[in-house]
Amino acid sequence: MLHYLIKRTLILLATLIVASLVVFITIEVVPGDPASYMLGLNAQEDTVAALRAELGLDKSRVARYFSWVGGLVTGDFGTSYTYRTPVADMIRDRMWISLPLAVFALLLSTLIAFPAGVFAASRRGGITDTTVMGLTQLGVAIPNFWFAMLLVLLFAIKLTWFSAGGFAGWDAGFFAAMKSLTLPAIALALPQASILTRVMRSSLLDVMNEDFMRTARAKGLSRRQALWKHALRNAMVPVLTIIGLQFSFLLAGAIIIENVFFLPGLGRLIFQSIASRDLIVVESVVMLLVLAVVLVTFAVDLAYAWVDPRLRSSR
Amino acid sequence: MKLRSLLPGAVLVLLFFSSALISYIWTPFDVTLIDIKSRFLAPDATHWLGTDHFGRDMLSMLMVGARTSIAVAFVAVGIGMLFGVPLGLAAAAHRGKFLDEAIMRGNDLVFAFPALLIAIMITAVYGPGALNAIIAIGIFNIPVFARLSRGAALSLWKRDFILAARAAGKGITRISFEHILPNITNLLIVQGTIQFSLGILAEAGLSFVGLGAQPPIPSWGRMLADSQTLIYTEPQLALFPGLAILLTVLGLNLLGDGLRDWLDPRLRRER
Amino acid sequence: MKKIQLSRAIFLALFVAGSAQAAKTDVTIGMQLEPPNLDPTGGAAAAIDEVVYANVYEGLTRFGPDGSVRPALAKTWEISADGMTYTFSLQEGVAFHNGSSFDADDVKFSIDRAMAEDSTNAQKQLFANIESVENVDGDVVIKLKAADGNLLFNLAWGDAVIVAPEAVENLATAPVGTGPFQFKNWVQGDQVVLEKNPDYWGEPVKLDMATFKFISEPTAAFAAMMAGDLDAFPNYPAPENLAQLEADPRFSVVLGSTEGETILSTNNKQAPLDNVLVRQAIAHAIDRTAIIDGAMYGYGTPIGTHFAPHNPAYVDLTANSNYDPEKSKALLKAAGLPDGFTTTLKLPPPAYARRGGEIIASQLRAVGINVEVSNLEWAQWIEQVFKGKDFGLTIVSHTEPMDIGIYAKPDYYFQYDNAALQAMMKSFNEETDTDKRTGILQEAQQIISADYVNGYLFQLAKTGVASSKLKGLWQNSPTQANDLTGVYWED
């Protein structure tokens, strides 16, 4: 196990280093100079050059790469070109929207998917099952940003229960803040809940076919009793894996939803920064999201290896 | 059981594919013609689905939009298969060796980038457009097919008929293409259908944020984006393009499920 | 019984007192773009001035709501007979928000800083004609390199405001000026809050607090207005919703003018656009009414040249480029292009460009001109179009006041090179007689209109939405600012 752990950790580090190179090189070739963008149409050449020097853009690419990576490791993400404030502060502020939103959506998705999946599995083939499965087909197929627009249409415009977008801010109180995250979280959660329901159901059904379940049933437990007592726990591994993956997806995948609801989260930060060629912010946010994905995958892999020792050698 | 999803899926897919094809030779109205005076018309006998903010016929826009979505998703999935399948087969053939490790680590690397981020980065560099949307979605499809074909191929390599082929002196590349590939085709078709539907969703998402096909080429995602500021006054403009996406993706998913059950009886376990 | 009356009296007293105090003293203003920083002397973004101009920072002179130049930190000034030396006497008792007092040295520091070699001032050319700035017995003496009728106008720009020397390091995030409001805080991506400066030297403002909230999406702007989150949106970004807001008694919609000439900029050096017949053909292929209706929902004034219609010197030349597709086709034939041609149309992000671009593309297609539309972010637009001059057509609103002078710069991005016009603008800059200046401006308008340098579309309207009880906001936009000094709530 220790050998496996070391190997996986090294791979993790290598992935991150390669990813940082890919990110840096990709973003560096993005056309458009942040300095001339900031100074606008009437700026003189020497003014632009002065600003480039001030921002450190006149240094060589290699030097910039190492100072960027060095900063990332020590938690110093550099200074935003446009806002002139530490990138780390900006990311932290945005995180306070994106992270709660992802957690909220994941919670909703799990709260919907667990009962729905169990329900469908325990009534396999029945009307309930068919209905739930049909709904999940819809849930998987619906574009979440369109679903978001429909939510706005119904709950913000027709019923005026929620505002059509924007973030109240944590200063406005926990409930006000959560209220402005509710519609976005629902929009994000629906497709995830549909996927999770399907995984939940099929992994329960898989477990039900296993020998120990047959034994349990032979001992006189009803189908439903067997499901609750034995199957649920054993079906959790694939479900938790999916939840883990969904979390990193939600963190990064909220970009479009943040746009629909005008939430100043990480996704909007990326869009704005690309538009204003605030390269250092783009690089750092992308790297952060990559890190989140890689770490979750790492954790899932380790969990698997722990559960199933055979996997340690096969990868 | 199988007909239950195969048939409606096939019908939906056929509907959108045929309207995309028909749009090449005929649409009710010219979608490049802007007529401000007849904007926001409600659906009637002339304009079945009404007109948009530029006075263009919504039905015609949806038909041409279908071809944008389908073309982008189709080519993107093609790219994913073209690169992903050989990589997966090669990795399986060299199981445990350096090549396998390198390919799988490369896969992990691509997977580490959320798909949308890849797309945003590519369009930031090369500018928005249908071609770059194709590349972005395509890149994300490569590891999907690589993993799938590697996994399926690995189990095949242990089978007797492969061992027999090896004993007959066939090289691993030849075995991969002559014996392994035909045996995973069904799997690829099923996964291809699912990736196709994901591709349509991704294209819509990219167009929605302005990174997909550019005007004057109609696309469903951009129609939705255009309708966003009008949702208070003209909500119907947001309804039709969304429904089109939903139904196409739904059709493809149903078709994929149906195909899986039909093509691979072993999987036809009650799920 | 008495008790009841007493309580009623108390109730009434409370109620009346309460309603008397109910007049709000804070205001929340919506803006579409967030300023990247809050230093008007270190960035070009209009959003910077829209927050700080006249509120936080003041210059020697300033623009009034009608665009006229008025005294600000300079109380009075004298101009020497040869027009080469300006002597400004300053307001007294002025202090910066950090408590340090303001004097002529601060003026010298600020202008020298803007002119300096390593200056990052976006409008450095405003100061190009200044020879020196000196503190002479507490007055500011500015010596010029050549006589210039524009100095007072130039000093009124947001880029020429006076900053506190000891605070320049952090101006981007913590502005320190002399204005009636001082900076309170900035929640990036959301809002900037200003509060009343209790020690302001001039007439105190009526508001205690002003919040600028940044809402980039038109839909969100509408939602925020309707929800009452905003008291005003002076440059409301979604003309498609204005009719609905106007119908609501809570709001008043104020239409005004801006300095934004929205034009179909044409690369005058790129074939076949270098042919005046081709440019004329484009001009006649464009239906301005459809563009103003389709892109701006009717808000905008057609223009036929590069000049603001509300300016007294404006000449209406829209007839030069009336909508006439048949004439357009004939002109293309005369230019040797009977089958039309293909060119590029590169569009920056604003709705006027994106929506207008789609309409123009369709109109040009109707006469046989095929345009390849591409949507660019501003940074790309500056790189490709403005600096790289790699474009055929583009749509952009030139929002600087009185900017017809750009036609005298042959290397400006649309590359119009006309020696006669260049000579004319040179004489304009040296001319001090108002009538003669007007004459020159009018002649210049005729020349660029007759040369079809660019496609002249419309003057951008200022579409402001405000709570109907909020008074004192600028109706027009002579410069990009949200001057809150005269804003108050009506009871």
Side-chain angles (χ1 to χ4, degrees):
Chain A
M1 186 70 193
L2 185 68
H3 176 72
Y4 176 76
L5 194 68
I6 292 172
K7 189 184 158 208
R8 291 295 301 163
T9 313
L10 285 177
I11 290 172
L12 174 89
L13 289 177
T15 311
L16 286 177
I17 290 170
V18 177
S20 75
L21 270 170
V22 171
V23 170
F24 186 81
I25 293 169
T26 317
I27 309 259
E28 284 297 313
V29 297
V30 169
D33 172 28
S36 43
Y37 168 75
M38 287 166 67
L39 290 171
L41 304 189
N42 289 347
Q44 295 171 346
E45 273 310 312
D46 58 340
T47 321
V48 176
L51 185 63
R52 286 182 63 86
E54 203 177 306
L55 297 174
L57 284 168
D58 55 344
K59 288 193 217 122
S60 82
R61 291 221 160 113
V62 180
R64 288 217 314 277
Y65 173 74
F66 280 107
S67 78
W68 173 60
V69 169
L72 284 185
V73 174
T74 56
D76 172 14
F77 290 21
T79 306
S80 153
Y81 298 153
T82 37
Y83 285 114
R84 310 274 182 100
T85 50
V87 177
D89 291 357
M90 294 171 69
I91 291 181
R92 198 192 49 228
D93 289 351
R94 306 303 181 104
M95 243 349 192
W96 270 108
I97 293 170
S98 292
L99 206 59
L101 178 60
V103 173
F104 194 178
L106 200 63
L107 217 63
L108 279 178
S109 145
T110 318
L111 283 179
I112 298 168
F114 265 63
V118 173
F119 217 51
S122 66
R123 289 171 170 74
R124 184 181 53 173
I127 293 180
T128 325
D129 186 21
T130 317
T131 316
V132 169
M133 286 294 96
L135 285 177
T136 59
Q137 281 286 12
L138 275 181
V140 174
I142 200 168
N144 61 9
F145 54 92
W146 183 58
F147 183 53
M149 289 171 75
L150 295 183
L151 288 176
V152 169
L153 199 57
L154 179 63
F155 293 106
I157 299 176
K158 292 274 182 283
L159 299 172
T160 62
W161 291 354
F162 292 91
S163 70
F167 185 63
W170 293 105
D171 295 338
F174 178 77
F175 286 103
M178 289 310 271
K179 196 179 167 194
S180 37
L181 293 182
T182 303
L183 289 187
I186 294 175
L188 276 172
L190 183 82
Q192 305 302 321
S194 304
I195 296 169
L196 205 57
T197 306
R198 296 176 81 86
V199 173
M200 184 82 199
R201 175 181 175 274
S202 65
S203 97
L204 274 174
L205 290 182
D206 280 351
V207 174
M208 301 282 267
N209 285 332
E210 302 260 348
D211 291 343
F212 71 90
M213 289 302 293
R214 301 226 176 87
T215 322
R217 299 251 349 234
K219 279 196 293 187
L221 288 176
S222 79
R223 189 182 160 78
R224 213 161 290 174
Q225 281 170 323
L227 187 136
W228 283 107
K229 285 204 163 155
H230 299 276
L232 208 52
R233 209 183 55 196
N234 285 289
M236 273 305 108
V237 176
V239 173
L240 287 178
T241 311
I242 298 289
I243 292 180
L245 294 176
Q246 287 191 343
F247 180 68
S248 49
F249 167 82
L250 284 171
L251 206 53
I255 295 178
I256 296 183
I257 292 295
E258 283 179 6
N259 259 299
V260 177
F261 289 99
F262 339 115
L263 295 174
L266 282 180
R268 288 195 52 75
L269 183 64
I270 291 189
F271 262 105
Q272 283 174 352
S273 311
I274 284 182
S276 58
R277 292 301 178 267
D278 202 344
L279 307 181
I280 193 154
V281 176
V282 183
E283 286 161 357
S284 302
V285 179
V286 171
M287 228 16 239
L288 201 74
L289 291 175
V290 169
L291 180 73
V293 175
V294 172
L295 282 182
V296 170
T297 317
F298 181 67
V300 167
D301 277 357
L302 285 192
Y304 258 143
W306 186 61
V307 172
D308 187 352
R310 278 171 305 170
L311 285 169
R312 286 176 215 165
S313 51
S314 81
R315 289 209 61 185
Chain B
M1 184 71 194
K2 71 185 179 197
L3 276 186
R4 218 159 70 183
S5 58
L6 193 60
L7 194 64
V11 168
L12 280 173
V13 170
L14 206 67
L15 177 74
F16 283 98
F17 273 58
S18 55
S19 60
L21 283 178
I22 292 170
S23 79
Y24 278 101
I25 42 172
W26 176 82
T27 51
F29 290 87
D30 180 0
V31 293
T32 60
L33 214 65
I34 288 178
D35 178 12
I36 301 298
K37 285 188 203 77
S38 51
R39 69 176 162 197
F40 303 139
L41 293 181
D44 61 14
T46 327
H47 297 280
W48 289 6
L49 300 179
T51 58
D52 73 353
H53 63 296
F54 282 155
R56 295 173 296 194
D57 179 57
M58 282 294 275
L59 179 62
S60 313
M61 292 283 286
L62 285 180
M63 286 173 70
V64 185
R67 100 187 169 208
T68 313
S69 285
I70 290 169
V72 168
F74 190 80
V75 181
V77 173
I79 290 176
M81 281 197 184
L82 198 67
F83 291 93
V85 174
L87 283 174
L89 291 180
H94 298 271
R95 188 191 165 173
K97 303 227 182 71
F98 175 75
L99 186 68
D100 182 22
E101 190 72 10
I103 290 174
M104 294 326 282
R105 290 291 82 81
N107 267 349
D108 288 351
L109 186 70
V110 178
F111 265 133
F113 288 87
L116 201 58
L117 273 187
I118 295 188
I120 291 173
M121 279 164 60
I122 287 181
T123 49
V125 178
Y126 300 104
L131 187 66
N132 293 322
I134 289 174
I135 295 171
I137 303 170
I139 288 182
F140 189 67
N141 269 310
I142 294 174
V144 172
F145 285 103
R147 262 190 196 184
L148 180 79
S149 38
R150 177 178 178 270
L154 277 182
S155 61
L156 286 174
W157 275 99
K158 292 178 194 139
R159 301 272 288 276
D160 293 342
F161 71 100
I162 302 290
L163 295 176
R166 291 209 75 164
K170 286 191 182 176
I172 48 173
T173 315
R174 219 175 131 193
I175 295 177
S176 288
F177 281 95
E178 282 180 12
H179 299 286
I180 308 257
L181 188 59
N183 277 293
I184 63 170
T185 316
N186 287 351
L187 208 57
L188 291 177
I189 291 175
V190 171
Q191 189 67 35
T193 321
I194 292 163
Q195 292 307 116
F196 199 138
S197 79
L198 290 176
I200 290 203
L201 276 178
E203 191 275 339
L206 285 179
S207 307
F208 184 72
V209 290
L211 300 177
Q214 295 298 297
I217 305 165
S219 83
W220 292 343
R222 201 154 37 76
M223 290 171 76
L224 278 178
D226 284 343
S227 76
Q228 230 197 331
T229 57
L230 299 161
I231 195 163
Y232 291 88
T233 43
E234 313 288 338
Q236 79 279 3
L237 293 185
L239 223 54
F240 299 124
L243 271 178
I245 301 170
L246 171 68
L247 292 177
T248 310
V249 174
L250 184 67
L252 281 165
N253 284 345
L254 290 174
L255 185 69
D257 284 0
L259 279 177
R260 184 183 55 212
D261 295 346
W262 186 50
L263 291 173
D264 196 347
R266 277 168 305 162
L267 285 172
R268 206 190 292 166
R269 216 166 39 174
E270 251 189 287
R271 288 212 140 204
Chain C
M1 192 66 189
K2 229 174 190 172
K3 217 175 174 182
I4 293 173
Q5 274 180 344
L6 187 67
S7 65
R8 233 183 101 186
I10 292 172
F11 173 77
L12 274 176
L14 280 174
F15 183 76
V16 172
S19 71
Q21 280 168 359
K24 277 174 73 176
T25 55
D26 65 314
V27 68
T28 307
I29 306 275
M31 281 172 53
Q32 197 181 6
L33 293 178
E34 177 175 23
N37 62 67
L38 293 174
D39 179 6
T41 65
I48 302 175
D49 283 325
E50 285 173 6
V51 172
V52 299
Y53 187 80
N55 298 329
V56 175
Y57 285 110
E58 296 166 305
L60 287 177
T61 56
R62 56 159 294 176
F63 292 114
D66 55 353
S68 63
V69 176
R70 301 171 175 193
L73 287 173
K75 196 159 47 179
T76 56
W77 50 81
E78 274 170 34
I79 308 171
S80 68
D82 60 357
M84 300 279 282
T85 308
Y86 283 66
T87 307
F88 296 88
S89 64
L90 304 179
Q91 295 284 359
E92 281 144 31
V94 180
F96 286 105
H97 299 143
N98 62 3
S100 70
S101 66
F102 157 87
D103 59 28
D105 286 335
D106 298 319
V107 177
K108 177 176 166 52
F109 172 85
S110 299
I111 298 178
D112 282 348
R113 174 172 169 265
M115 292 161 48
E117 192 81 7
D118 62 348
S119 151
T120 55
N121 195 301
Q123 311 287 348
K124 209 171 158 183
Q125 83 287 350
L126 291 175
F127 312 97
N129 194 28
I130 295 179
E131 175 69 39
S132 68
V133 184
E134 295 306 332
N135 171 1
V136 178
D137 304 329
D139 285 350
V140 174
V141 176
I142 296 182
K143 290 208 164 72
L144 300 181
K145 291 172 186 159
D148 185 352
N150 295 326
L151 182 73
L152 296 172
F153 178 83
N154 288 352
L155 289 177
W157 284 55
D159 306 81
V161 296
I162 308 305
V163 298
E166 60 279 3
V168 288
E169 280 299 308
N170 298 317
L171 286 185
T173 49
V176 175
T178 57
F181 289 94
Q182 58 193 20
F183 173 73
K184 185 150 180 262
N185 72 339
W186 180 5
V187 182
Q188 260 138 16
D190 186 31
Q191 60 183 30
V192 168
V193 183
L194 307 180
E195 61 187 0
K196 186 178 187 169
N197 169 11
D199 305 318
Y200 184 56
W201 58 270
E203 190 188 335
V205 285
K206 299 186 183 81
L207 297 171
D208 289 333
M209 183 121 86
T211 305
F212 290 91
K213 229 171 153 44
F214 311 116
I215 301 181
S216 56
E217 289 79 2
T219 330
F222 181 72
M225 279 311 295
M226 288 307 257
D229 297 343
L230 298 177
D231 298 318
F233 214 120
N235 289 300
Y236 186 74
E240 55 267 48
N241 302 134
L242 279 174
Q244 222 179 328
L245 287 165
E246 198 154 26
D248 193 319
R250 290 181 295 157
F251 307 113
S252 54
V253 171
V254 182
L255 298 179
S257 58
T258 71
E259 297 299 320
E261 291 84 23
T262 311
I263 59 174
L264 177 70
S265 264
T266 309
N267 190 340
N268 278 249
K269 285 268 159 71
Q270 192 186 74
L273 301 167
D274 52 353
N275 184 343
V276 65
L277 289 174
V278 173
R279 297 199 301 267
Q280 190 182 355
I282 292 176
H284 287 296
I286 293 172
D287 179 3
R288 289 191 191 90
T289 324
I291 294 167
I292 296 172
D293 280 350
M296 308 309 291
Y297 290 78
Y299 299 97
T301 314
I303 51 171
T305 183
H306 195 107
F307 216 74
H310 55 85
N311 191 306
Y314 174 74
V315 190
D316 185 352
L317 298 165
T318 45
N320 275 353
S321 45
N322 60 321
Y323 176 51
D324 189 347
E326 289 314 312
K327 186 169 181 185
S328 175
K329 283 180 197 159
L331 283 163
L332 281 177
K333 208 175 210 170
L337 295 163
D339 302 325
F341 61 98
T342 299
T343 187
T344 55
L345 175 59
K346 297 192 171 177
L347 304 171
Y352 66 72
R354 294 280 165 91
R355 284 202 290 239
E358 273 198 71
I359 300 171
I360 286 182
S362 154
Q363 291 173 353
L364 291 181
R365 214 172 290 120
V367 298
I369 301 171
N370 183 33
V371 286
E372 290 161 2
V373 180
S374 49
N375 290 341
L376 304 180
E377 295 294 341
W378 275 119
Q380 288 169 302
W381 187 87
I382 289 174
E383 189 98 348
Q384 289 180 24
V385 177
F386 194 75
K387 293 171 105 185
K389 294 160 183 123
D390 173 22
F391 74 108
L393 302 167
T394 181
I395 298 177
V396 70
S397 202
H398 285 260
T399 52
E400 281 79 19
M402 289 283 290
D403 52 4
I404 196 170
I406 55 181
Y407 287 78
K409 297 185 199 167
D411 56 349
Y412 203 61
Y413 74 105
F414 49 73
Q415 304 182 86
Y416 176 59
D417 194 352
N418 179 338
L421 187 89
Q422 287 154 26
M424 222 154 95
M425 291 316 293
K426 193 161 177 288
S427 68
F428 171 76
N429 286 335
E430 288 157 3
E431 185 59 62
T432 46
D433 181 84
T434 317
D435 285 346
K436 281 186 184 152
R437 278 169 76 99
T438 304
I440 298 174
L441 286 176
Q442 291 183 334
E443 204 181 329
Q445 291 176 51
Q446 310 261 14
I447 291 177
I448 58 170
S449 177
D451 258 353
Y452 299 96
V453 182
N454 295 313
Y456 300 103
L457 305 176
F458 59 91
Q459 192 76 16
L460 215 55
K462 172 160 167 149
T463 46
V465 181
S467 162
S468 39
K469 288 186 172 159
L470 190 70
K471 305 290 169 190
L473 279 167
W474 284 12
Q475 182 188 355
N476 301 320
S477 259
T479 184
Q480 280 148 340
N482 289 310
D483 179 359
L484 300 178
T485 49
V487 171
Y488 62 98
W489 286 96
E490 197 180 60
D491 293 335

